[in-house]
Amino acid sequence: MNTIHIAGFPRVGAKRELKFLIEKFWQGDIDDATLQHAARELRQKHWLLQKGAGLDISPVGDFSLYDHMLDAQVLVGAIPTRFGFDAANLSSAQYFQLARGNATQHAIEMTKWFDTNYHYLVPEWRSDTTFSANPAPLLAQIAEAQALGIKAKPVLVGPLTLLWQGKCKGGEFDRLALLPALLKTYQDLLAALNAAKVDWVQIDEPILALDLPAQWLAAFAPAYAALAHSPLKLLLATYFGSVAEHAPLLKALPVAGLHLDLVRAPQQLDTFIQGWPQDKILSAGVIDGRNIWRADLGGVLTQVQALQAQLGERLWLAPSCSLLHSPFDLAQEGKLDVDLKSWLAFAVQKLNELKLLKRGLTQGRSAIANELAASDFARDQRRSSSRIHRADVAQRLAALPADSDRRASSYPVRAKAQAAWLKLPLLPTTTIGSFPQTSDIRAARAAFKRGEIDTASYEAAMKAEIALVIRKQEALDIDVLVHGEAERNDMVEYFGEQLAGFAFTEYGWVQSYGSRCVKPPIIYGDVARPEPMTVRWAVYAQSLSQRPVKGMLTGPVTILQWSFVRNDLSRAAVCKQIALAINDEVLDLENAGIKVIQIDEPAVREGLPLQRSDWNAYLAWAGESFRLSCTGVDDSTQIHTHMCYSEFGDILPSIAALDADVITIETSRSDMELLRDFGSFAYPNEIGPGVYDIHSPRVPDEAELEKLLDKALDVIPAQRLWVNPDCGLKTRGWPEVEAALQAMVTVTKRLRARLAATA
């Protein structure tokens, strides 16, 4: 019998139970015992669901109260020493302080997990970092699973991935110098897992899909030789891309099996199947773990039948990667169009696809004839659907002139035209866009969706919130205002709901970080903008103030990246379709008198292919798409963009080529580290480095802000420097927002006076 398994399962629950649970704990509504009991019940529910779906082995350790990389740091006893916590005796309150910061320490830096929209907490490595195995939390979960009759497969972040994904602190050093001590800790962990009577341990090494330096690749063989002393069977898991170039190395590693992502990189299979070792299993990731499209069961079954003929029972079947990146259960979606729904599969449905594939392998195609017929029907119906293709969209793209993505004048010319009417002070202050989404806002939106209040009542409530935000910003003396985005549920979902070619779910939530979940739109067809989306809100906000109010839009690359994207058209073509739809909105905003427009692109970096050889092509179409979104605007219209929680040093020429007049970036968690790259590169346009971390509830003091701004002034001329928070403020409460912004403005005015005196 062939084994079916998964690398991980959505943690948040079918109705985001985990989100609401941990937020209750943060708010003090439940104690630690209640938190732990409810979390245990939720993960046990997930294991039983997997068992009922026919999985042979279930992952243990993939469930996290915040982040699996934070859990890995706790597991090896290497949490940041600056907090003064003991990893072996970490309380839940302390665990969350690592993620969110406290009164004395900023939170652990957060950035994107490879090319996904999941954020992980970045390990902090020092030359004197020590490690100590702390297996108790994982052992407790294994015992829970075994008590339910679950065959448990512990999941560990691999030692080399753990080191690579971290950052050096306290000065640069070779992180590989920490590997021997870390491997000793992994040996201790494996010994503890062996005592827990598990057979298999999954060790995730996704960095193998990256362009690793030679010394890191060379470290794999001795590292896994050290781990091979354990009697446990190790399944080395790779995903997110091809590892074909490392096939000789991976075939020779002393592990019992290897998992390959055959959705993202199906072409790598030929390299591995030739001469596959007789003593190893091959786990074939043939179900898409990162998208929501139903598998072509007939095609996949043909593929795995050929593999089974060569491997027999040494063939395992699995999704391409953890189902963490997939929504929970399509069966909950009662409002989706019936045809569209038939094209989709969420995490629970993907378990069923695995079960059907196993039955087809063991009993033959006839055993699943009805299911194969249904799969074929859905595939053919989707291909022929008239709802997918729009001739007007294709014609518009085809008719674009060669230079249609370029502004009429260069930045220096535009900057003069903008300064002439903006008349901003030195170090202008602004925010990134959103203000607190209060319970009143959410209640009004929910009531409107349920039909309990009419359109006029809903819009009156939103206008009241906009007026409040404008008044508060003016009272704080912020220079360039925003309307606060009270009417928006999500920065991508809001736009997708108003664009043709998009569909939406009720419960299609996926975890972004911690308790933050997003509900990505589904791009199923050609994209167009039927009517203006934001103009009336922006115009209303501007009517309340003499200060400039930014029009706030989400950029085409981010809408693409944060959606589930159709897989029958290139991502480049889809992105350009979105860009032209956004451009329609930009021009309407400009015509309505909104002359400062922010087009957020926080996802540009995360969209980078994992292999550098593919970067140039991606950056070319991503940059063109952004520029298309603001093409045709007047020189005096100031275009902003915002990017957060990403590294930019190696793609700065492409960031500069976006040619935004002002870019705002996250820099506070990294202590302005990111800004050094912009300074070294001599970034030519205006820039606003975030001066405080909005993902932490702590309010920064003035000395801290002044220190960060002084660092910024060391690398960016004051004439091109803006002052702003790291990101939007929707997740924060008004008291902390007002206190933090007041400190930001106070420090900015002090620096203006100092600069004026120096001049």
Side-chain angles (χ1 to χ4, degrees):
M1 296 285 286
N2 299 98
T3 297
I4 56 173
H5 71 115
I6 59 174
F9 196 70
R11 306 161 184 159
V12 295
K15 300 288 181 65
R16 292 182 294 163
E17 295 93 329
L18 183 62
K19 167 189 172 64
F20 300 121
L21 176 66
I22 63 176
E23 288 179 353
K24 284 182 179 179
F25 178 75
W26 293 344
Q27 293 158 7
D29 296 337
I30 60 173
D31 60 15
D32 182 50
T34 303
L35 170 71
Q36 297 301 333
H37 176 76
R40 183 164 55 250
E41 286 189 333
L42 183 61
R43 61 176 169 258
Q44 290 179 1
K45 180 180 179 181
H46 294 174
W47 285 326
L48 290 172
L49 187 156
Q50 294 164 35
K51 182 180 181 181
L55 283 194
D56 297 303
I57 307 177
S58 285
V60 176
D62 59 321
F63 184 94
S64 173
L65 288 176
Y66 200 96
D67 169 47
H68 63 277
M69 282 291 282
L70 175 58
D71 293 355
Q73 295 170 59
V74 175
L75 194 64
V76 300
I79 58 177
T81 56
R82 58 188 173 85
F83 283 88
F85 299 156
D86 177 8
N89 296 286
L90 196 68
S91 69
S92 295
Q94 291 173 333
Y95 173 87
F96 289 121
Q97 286 175 42
L98 294 171
R100 306 175 74 224
N102 58 28
T104 62
Q105 295 295 325
H106 60 80
I108 297 174
E109 184 178 346
M110 185 166 63
T111 195
K112 296 295 176 67
W113 179 247
F114 295 84
D115 59 350
T116 74
N117 186 33
Y118 178 80
H119 303 64
Y120 77 98
L121 293 169
V122 182
E124 298 179 7
W125 303 133
R126 296 181 177 274
S127 58
D128 59 353
T129 293
T130 59
F131 302 97
S132 178
N134 179 33
L138 183 57
L139 294 175
Q141 291 191 30
I142 292 170
E144 291 172 25
Q146 291 172 334
L148 296 172
I150 304 293
K151 186 173 182 180
K153 178 192 61 175
V155 178
L156 304 177
V157 177
L160 285 150
T161 292
L162 186 62
L163 283 179
W164 177 267
Q165 294 293 108
K167 282 189 174 181
C168 295
K169 299 293 181 179
E172 288 296 320
F173 66 96
D174 182 6
R175 283 168 289 169
L176 283 175
L178 299 175
L179 184 58
L182 181 58
L183 288 173
K184 175 62 172 66
T185 302
Y186 271 74
Q187 290 171 336
D188 294 341
L189 291 173
L190 292 176
L193 295 176
N194 184 54
K197 302 187 185 308
V198 297
D199 295 327
W200 284 90
V201 175
Q202 176 181 314
I203 302 187
D204 290 354
E205 293 285 12
I207 62 167
L208 283 161
L210 304 176
D211 294 309
L212 290 176
Q215 64 269 31
W216 283 78
L217 284 173
F220 272 87
Y224 279 85
L227 300 183
H229 294 298
S230 169
L232 292 170
K233 299 174 183 176
L234 303 184
L235 175 67
L236 181 66
T238 68
Y239 39 83
F240 298 157
S242 173
V243 293
E245 62 182 306
H246 310 314
L249 166 66
L250 295 176
K251 289 178 182 179
L253 285 182
V255 295
L258 177 68
H259 173 79
L260 298 175
D261 184 339
L262 298 181
V263 175
R264 274 292 185 93
Q267 71 283 357
Q268 67 179 321
L269 180 59
D270 290 342
T271 304
F272 281 94
I273 201 64
Q274 295 176 12
W276 183 248
Q278 293 293 318
D279 61 343
K280 287 182 170 60
I281 68 101
L282 180 65
S283 170
V286 291
I287 300 296
D288 194 342
R290 287 184 56 174
N291 213 331
I292 42 71
W293 302 107
R294 182 173 181 166
D296 176 2
L297 277 181
V300 176
L301 182 56
T302 298
Q303 178 189 25
V304 297
Q305 282 177 323
L307 280 174
Q308 189 196 40
Q310 295 178 266
L311 299 174
E313 293 185 2
R314 291 184 297 125
L315 172 66
W316 287 16
L317 301 180
S320 56
C321 61
S322 171
L323 296 177
L324 167 71
H325 311 287
S326 175
F328 199 92
D329 186 4
L330 183 64
Q332 299 182 107
E333 303 299 333
K335 297 181 180 179
L336 268 181
D337 174 87
V338 174
D339 288 343
L340 175 59
K341 188 174 179 179
S342 73
W343 304 341
L344 307 179
F346 292 178
V348 171
Q349 287 68 46
K350 293 175 189 295
L351 298 181
N352 187 56
E353 289 178 332
L354 284 176
K355 180 172 69 174
L356 290 172
L357 289 172
K358 178 175 179 177
R359 191 191 308 165
L361 278 180
T362 56
Q363 301 176 29
R365 300 180 82 94
S366 61
I368 58 169
N370 291 336
E371 291 85 352
L372 290 175
S375 175
D376 291 346
F377 179 80
R379 178 199 63 202
D380 295 342
Q381 184 196 49
R382 182 180 170 210
R383 287 175 178 172
S384 60
S385 173
S386 59
R387 302 168 56 194
I388 291 179
H389 303 290
R390 290 179 52 141
D392 59 327
V393 174
Q395 290 165 4
R396 185 179 179 187
L397 270 175
L400 287 174
D403 60 348
S404 57
D405 63 323
R406 301 293 174 177
R407 296 283 295 269
S409 302
S410 63
Y411 163 74
V413 174
R414 303 195 309 262
K416 289 179 181 178
Q418 294 158 18
W421 74 270
L422 278 168
K423 296 182 172 57
L424 296 173
L426 201 64
L427 308 180
T429 55
T430 191
T431 63
I432 302 306
S434 61
F435 270 84
Q437 289 263 322
T438 64
S439 57
D440 288 343
I441 293 173
R442 294 193 297 270
R445 184 184 301 123
F448 179 57
K449 284 191 172 183
R450 291 192 300 265
E452 296 170 1
I453 60 174
D454 60 18
T455 300
S457 299
Y458 171 72
E459 293 198 356
M462 295 302 101
K463 284 184 175 181
E465 292 291 343
I466 291 170
L468 173 69
V469 167
I470 294 295
R471 288 198 306 272
K472 285 183 177 289
Q473 289 174 94
E474 288 192 328
L476 289 163
D477 204 16
I478 291 173
D479 300 306
V480 176
L481 313 185
V482 297
H483 81 289
E485 304 180 13
E487 80 287 1
R488 302 186 189 182
N489 44 12
D490 175 83
M491 66 181 293
V492 171
E493 183 176 4
Y494 175 80
F495 290 96
E497 286 177 335
Q498 302 179 76
L499 293 170
F502 282 74
F504 287 85
T505 62
E506 291 181 86
Y507 304 105
W509 299 99
V510 292
Q511 185 181 24
S512 179
Y513 63 87
S515 70
R516 170 71 170 155
C517 298
V518 295
K519 190 149 54 70
I522 298 169
I523 305 177
Y524 68 87
D526 288 341
V527 178
R529 188 201 68 151
E531 58 186 25
M533 302 178 286
T534 67
V535 175
R536 60 197 173 109
W537 301 113
V539 168
Y540 174 71
Q542 186 62 80
S543 74
L544 302 175
S545 180
Q546 296 299 310
R547 303 184 186 210
V549 176
K550 286 190 287 189
M552 299 299 304
L553 305 173
T554 303
V557 178
T558 298
I559 291 177
L560 180 88
Q561 284 294 127
W562 293 0
S563 300
F564 291 118
V565 184
R566 58 192 291 191
N567 56 4
D568 62 333
L569 189 67
S570 74
R571 293 175 71 85
V574 177
C575 198
K576 291 174 187 177
Q577 290 181 359
I578 301 169
L580 293 180
I582 296 298
N583 183 238
D584 290 341
E585 188 73 10
V586 168
L587 295 177
D588 280 351
L589 282 168
E590 184 183 56
N591 290 335
I594 306 301
K595 301 278 286 179
V596 181
I597 302 171
Q598 182 170 308
I599 307 172
D600 288 337
E601 284 290 23
V604 164
R605 171 71 197 210
E606 82 181 41
L608 273 177
L610 299 184
Q611 296 287 327
R612 283 180 177 264
S613 59
D614 299 322
W615 281 18
N616 288 342
Y618 162 76
L619 290 168
W621 63 254
E624 180 185 0
S625 296
F626 177 83
R627 293 188 297 273
L628 279 174
S629 71
C630 51
T631 188
V633 300
D634 189 77
D635 285 353
S636 61
T637 297
Q638 188 175 74
I639 299 296
H640 291 228
T641 191
H642 173 68
M643 300 178 182
C644 57
Y645 300 103
S646 290
E647 305 289 351
F648 300 113
D650 48 3
I651 60 168
L652 272 172
S654 296
I655 299 298
L658 297 177
D659 201 25
D661 298 303
V662 182
I663 182 174
T664 52
I665 59 172
E666 176 276 324
T667 51
S668 69
R669 281 199 182 193
S670 63
D671 198 31
M672 290 288 171
E673 177 184 321
L674 291 176
L675 197 59
R676 289 199 294 269
D677 293 329
F678 282 83
S680 301
F681 175 73
Y683 185 77
N685 300 7
E686 297 165 52
I687 185 166
V691 295
Y692 78 90
D693 176 21
I694 64 88
H695 291 92
S696 172
R698 66 183 293 269
V699 175
D701 60 39
E702 292 181 12
E704 177 184 331
L705 295 175
E706 189 163 354
K707 176 186 173 185
L708 289 174
L709 279 170
D710 279 335
K711 287 188 173 186
L713 286 165
D714 286 341
V715 295
I716 303 295
Q719 293 74 17
R720 291 194 282 112
L721 186 64
W722 287 63
V723 180
N724 45 262
D726 269 349
C727 201
L729 301 165
K730 67 180 292 184
T731 61
R732 303 269 57 90
W734 270 113
E736 63 195 85
V737 164
E738 291 183 272
L741 291 179
Q742 187 61 72
M744 184 185 83
V745 172
T746 299
V747 168
T748 301
K749 290 180 176 179
R750 187 184 305 147
L751 289 178
R752 287 174 187 161
R754 192 179 78 193
L755 290 168
T758 303

